[in-house]
Amino acid sequence: MTTKKDLYIRPNIAQLEPYSTARDEYKGGDMSIWLDANESPYDNGVNRYPDPHQKALKQQIAELKGVAPNQIFIGNGSDEAIDLCFRIFCEPGRDNVVSISPTYGMYSVAAAINNIAVREVPLAEADYGLSTSSLLAAADEHTRLLWVCSPNNPTGNAFSLSQLEELAEKFDGVLVVDEAYADFSSEKSMLTVLGDHPNVVVLQTLSKAWGMAGLRLGLAFASPRIAELFARVKYPYNVNAPTQQEVAHRLQTEPHDAHVAEVCAEREWLSEQLSALPCVERVFPSDANFLLVKVTDPDGLYARLVEKGIIVRNRNRVKGCEGCLRITVGTPEQNRVVVRVVGER
């Protein structure tokens, strides 16, 4: 009988021989002539293939996050890691996954691409609270993944570490915790207990708090066993050399802490100001860099904001978010413009 110990890895993935390069096989010292990969010999800064294992960058991220390098997967955005979870653990047309709802739409898109059914479990209507018992009850013998985004997109609230650990301990499969917005939350990250849960994958990103959305670099943290599976299935050169170099530089120079502190302070100011406006029915508590705002006329307000050159996300047609707009926290100047325009309704 299959148990959580082997994580339901698809047999073809367990037996897969990954693509290897001559540089993977070479264990010697310094070499000056590289004639193994049919690259151009003319040095222009990008004529060589990038490190397929991102060794230097993984070491840097390991020190930053307090994990081991062999617990890290680096992908072309978090979406690559999301897709790999389905490809590694789910048999198309047979298996299913459980997810909270509403949540980040890419989970269901990746599931559909991989022909995997999604069982959505609604969050509590009043406060978007999480029911661990409902999530566990939705699983059956073919459920391979459980998706929880914390802080959640689009609701903005984070779930407690104790709830997530309960899911990790009781769920007979792989729990994927998406922490894209964790930098803005006071809740503890699952990274702090990752070593206790070999069936957990934690997703993070450099796109939000670190300001590197244009570089498209996502992170997955897991046991060495799962991280090795990610490396086995990914395409060899999934993260290009300029991105690896630029990220390494920005991790040392980006004013990350100052930006996070300002966004959190502006989030509270923006929430207070919007809550006082006549057209705003409720501003939901947020642990992220955005606010979910329920208004009297969401489509009309959205059109008004667009007319004024302000783009927000209309979530009015998302089940569980009826009447809501999702507003990212901007700079102090941008936030004051938003309050002024919303107040004109």
Side-chain angles (χ1 to χ4, degrees), residues 15-34:
Q15 298 167 14
L16 178 67
E17 288 292 333
Y19 179 83
S20 65
T21 71
R23 294 169 203 184
D24 291 326
E25 300 162 3
Y26 177 69
K27 306 298 182 184
D30 293 335
M31 297 294 291
S32 58
I33 300 177
W34 297 95

Side-chain angles (χ1 to χ4, degrees), residues 191-262:
L191 286 186
T192 61
V193 293
L194 185 61
D196 298 331
H197 304 290
N199 65 321
V200 168
V201 174
V202 178
L203 305 181
Q204 292 192 359
T205 180
L206 301 179
S207 296
K208 317 298 181 184
W210 285 92
M212 302 188 209
L215 293 176
R216 302 303 302 133
L217 193 135
L219 306 170
F221 304 89
S223 67
R225 171 62 171 146
I226 293 181
E228 187 274 330
L229 288 168
F230 274 73
R232 182 185 303 184
V233 177
K234 79 173 184 69
Y235 292 111
Y237 306 108
N238 61 324
V239 180
N240 66 65
T243 290
Q244 293 186 44
Q245 295 161 5
E246 185 68 14
V247 168
H249 170 71
R250 288 179 177 271
L251 286 176
Q252 294 179 323
T253 60
E254 188 74 24
H256 167 266
D257 292 339
H259 285 171
V260 169
E262 180 169 283

Side-chain angles (χ1 to χ4, degrees), residues 168-317:
E169 291 164 2
K170 294 182 179 180
F171 176 56
D172 191 21
V174 175
L175 170 65
V176 187
V177 182
D178 189 342
E179 294 188 344
Y181 304 95
D183 294 82
F184 306 100
S185 175
S186 59
E187 287 287 348
K188 288 186 177 180
S189 166
M190 277 294 283
L191 286 186
T192 61
V193 293
L194 185 61
D196 298 331
H197 304 290
N199 65 321
V200 168
V201 174
V202 178
L203 305 181
Q204 292 192 359
T205 180
L206 301 179
S207 296
K208 317 298 181 184
W210 285 92
M212 302 188 209
L215 293 176
R216 302 303 302 133
L217 193 135
L219 306 170
F221 304 89
S223 67
R225 171 62 171 146
I226 293 181
E228 187 274 330
L229 288 168
F230 274 73
R232 182 185 303 184
V233 177
K234 79 173 184 69
Y235 292 111
Y237 306 108
N238 61 324
V239 180
N240 66 65
T243 290
Q244 293 186 44
Q245 295 161 5
E246 185 68 14
V247 168
H249 170 71
R250 288 179 177 271
L251 286 176
Q252 294 179 323
T253 60
E254 188 74 24
H256 167 266
D257 292 339
H259 285 171
V260 169
E262 180 169 283
V263 167
C264 289
E266 283 295 306
R267 178 184 68 197
E268 302 314 309
W269 180 88
L270 186 60
S271 176
E272 181 180 331
Q273 295 297 313
L274 290 174
S275 296
L277 299 178
C279 70
V280 175
E281 296 182 358
R282 183 178 182 185
V283 179
F284 289 90
S286 177
D287 291 282
N289 68 333
F290 60 83
L291 295 170
L292 188 67
V293 184
K294 189 171 185 179
V295 297
T296 54
D297 179 17
D299 293 338
L301 179 55
Y302 179 77
R304 172 66 174 170
L305 289 166
V306 170
E307 180 184 314
K308 294 293 185 177
I310 302 168
I311 308 299
V312 300
R313 198 73 190 269
N314 189 346
R315 302 283 77 182
N316 183 39
R317 292 168 184 80

Side-chain angles (χ1 to χ4, degrees), residues 140-155:
D140 65 12
E141 67 271 18
H142 290 297
T143 304
R144 299 294 178 255
L145 302 172
L146 199 168
W147 294 88
V148 179
C149 185
S150 180
N152 187 37
N153 175 14
T155 62

